[in-house]
Amino acid sequence: MPRVVVKPEVCIGCHLCEVWCVVAHSRSKNILKAFLHETPRPVPRVVVEENLPFTLPVHCRHCTEPSCVEACISGALYRDPLTGRVEHDAGRCVGCYSCVMACPYGAVVIDEVNRKVARCDLCKEMGEPACVKQCPNRALVYQDSFTS
């Protein structure tokens, strides 16, 4: 299964991955409308951690044995048997945040407005994740690569 792989040695900490993630998950799919006019604004599913001079985008790794799925008390998180992706059914999420605590990568994001969680869905409707497509330094690559 293809996953987003980070090359931290070329990440410049521009946060464009976060910006384009918001746009990809917005209703309008327009950068200006997504940031200026949509409420609530979608939360980015990738977060750039900074400890300058080092920066690292953190996102869901779609683990083969996801601890977030095991921790989910409502069944809102599940592993799709066909694609291998860890999926999130926001309608079933009760906002307990046990998945946030269980994820060893810190990749499950709290959506404070909706009191639920958000996590990378690999922009499945787009074919290629928006963060990968828009990264100016190619610090994010969508490929079959690692297992976790």
Side-chain angles (χ1 to χ4, degrees):
M1 177 190 107
R3 302 171 196 212
V4 177
V5 177
V6 178
K7 298 190 299 186
E9 66 276 7
V10 294
C11 177
I12 60 173
C14 67
H15 295 264
L16 284 174
C17 52
E18 292 176 359
V19 169
W20 288 103
C21 182
V22 168
V23 174
H25 292 92
S26 69
R27 290 182 305 281
S28 65
K29 309 295 186 220
N30 176 286
I31 190 168
L32 292 175
K33 289 178 182 176
F35 279 88
L36 297 177
H37 303 296
E38 289 188 22
T39 52
R41 181 185 310 155
V43 296
R45 277 95 164 132
V46 59
V47 178
V48 178
E49 293 291 332
E50 294 185 26
N51 187 8
L52 295 176
F54 304 104
T55 57
L56 179 72
V58 177
H59 59 281
C60 180
R61 305 215 178 160
H62 296 272
C63 303
T64 53
E65 295 180 17
S67 54
C68 61
V69 170
E70 292 176 27
C72 182
I73 63 170
S74 66
L77 286 175
Y78 60 95
R79 186 170 172 80
D80 186 313
L82 298 175
T83 64
R85 293 178 176 170
V86 176
E87 300 284 350
H88 178 245
D89 180 352
R92 294 181 71 182
C93 181
V94 296
C96 68
Y97 307 136
S98 56
C99 57
V100 174
M101 294 181 280
C103 177
Y105 301 105
V108 183
V109 179
I110 296 175
D111 180 349
E112 293 177 10
V113 173
N114 295 312
R115 296 186 180 172
K116 305 226 182 224
V117 297
R119 37 162 316 288
C120 176
D121 59 4
L122 296 172
C123 296
K124 60 184 171 186
E125 68 283 346
M126 296 174 58
E128 178 183 26
C131 59
V132 172
K133 187 175 182 180
Q134 300 293 339
C135 182
N137 269 21
R138 300 290 173 234
L140 300 173
V141 181
Y142 189 52
Q143 65 184 31
D144 278 315
S145 164
F146 66 93
T147 57
S148 54

